[in-house]
Amino acid sequence: MPGSLKTEAIVLRSIRYGEADRILHLYTPGYGRLGAIAKGARRARSRFGARLEPFFHIRAILHEGRSELHTVTGVDTVAAHPALRGHAATLDAAARACDAVGRLFETPEPHPEVFRLLANELVLLDLDPAHARAATGLAFRLKLLLAAGILPQLGSCAGCGEADHLQAFSAAAGGVVCGSCEAAAFRRGQVSHDLLVGALGRPLAEAPDASELALAQAERAITETAEHHAQVRLRPLVGRR
Ligand SMILES: [Zn+2]
């Protein structure tokens, strides 16, 4: 049907609009981030039911109108993630994951790998509240940087290529730097370096844990990279209670 598209989507945000509508931020495998309006979605007997709440993995039919917003005309649930909604920590981790995706990938450019990563993160949070830990959240963000093409260089000095004495991190230089290139960098221990490398090389479910200091250093590297190379400010993750 011309003017309409069928797609899987994850609801990143769901905002009350007008008397009974919802404005949705959707993340899709083939169309990136889309804005949509679901008319009448907040009425008690809406045909959409509760399927347009944040973190729902849905299959949707969207009508492309003249405005930037698509109109939702049909919705099926792929995964509702009910257990995720039962704990403050998993709700919070899911909100941070959706927020990071929405900020780093805000255009219609397709990134199916980002969609799968986010779907996977929500499934993990639904399966076991232990996945709400900071290490999983950092691994998730690091994989987002990889998908965005701004992964910091971790194997050799981003300034001069030196493979040894990598003792600091510089978002401006693009990764770890050696002692001689250290000027504008912040010091980060070997532990956080191993953490970053380990998080990238493993599935999300097996993200390596570390001390709070190492996690905080790894987070700083990720946050500064997103700010410097994507002008995106990510919400703080480590040390929250
Ligand atoms: Zn160097």
Side-chain angles (χ1 to χ4, degrees), residues 113-226:
E113 75 282 19
V114 170
F115 178 84
R116 287 194 300 271
L117 180 64
L118 180 59
N120 185 17
E121 165 86 347
L122 296 177
V123 165
L124 291 177
L125 290 171
D126 191 56
L127 268 178
D128 185 351
H131 288 301
R133 68 203 170 98
T136 308
L138 288 178
F140 177 78
R141 289 181 176 194
L142 203 57
K143 290 170 192 288
L144 288 185
L145 297 187
L146 176 66
I150 55 171
L151 187 69
Q153 180 171 327
L154 297 171
S156 59
C157 174
C160 69
E162 167 76 56
D164 298 320
H165 313 297
L166 303 172
Q167 50 186 335
F169 183 90
S170 163
V176 293
V177 288
C178 72
S180 343
C181 296
E182 199 187 336
F186 77 81
R187 286 238 168 199
R188 52 124 209 74
Q190 183 63 31
V191 181
S192 72
H193 177 260
D194 293 348
L195 179 67
L196 290 169
V197 173
L200 265 180
R202 293 194 213 176
L204 197 54
E206 295 160 25
D209 219 331
S211 70
E212 183 138 323
L213 176 63
L215 289 170
Q217 286 177 335
E219 175 172 36
R220 188 168 164 194
I222 290 168
T223 303
E224 289 188 0
T225 297

Side-chain angles (χ1 to χ4, degrees), residues 7-17 22-28 31-38 51-58 60 62 68-70 72 98-103 105-107 115 118 122:
T7 180
E8 278 186 60
I10 288 166
V11 180
L12 300 179
R13 291 186 71 193
S14 181
I15 304 153
R16 288 157 181 263
Y17 181 76
R22 282 190 179 282
I23 301 275
L24 307 168
H25 294 181
L26 301 175
Y27 199 78
T28 68
Y31 309 93
R33 199 183 85 167
L34 291 180
I37 183 163
R51 293 188 285 267
L52 298 175
E53 297 291 330
F55 322 134
F56 262 74
H57 181 168
I58 57 175
L62 306 172
E68 258 184 40
L69 289 178
H70 293 63
V72 182
C98 286
D99 185 70
V101 168
R103 285 173 199 252
F105 300 91
E106 57 178 357
T107 71
F115 178 84
L118 180 59
L122 296 177

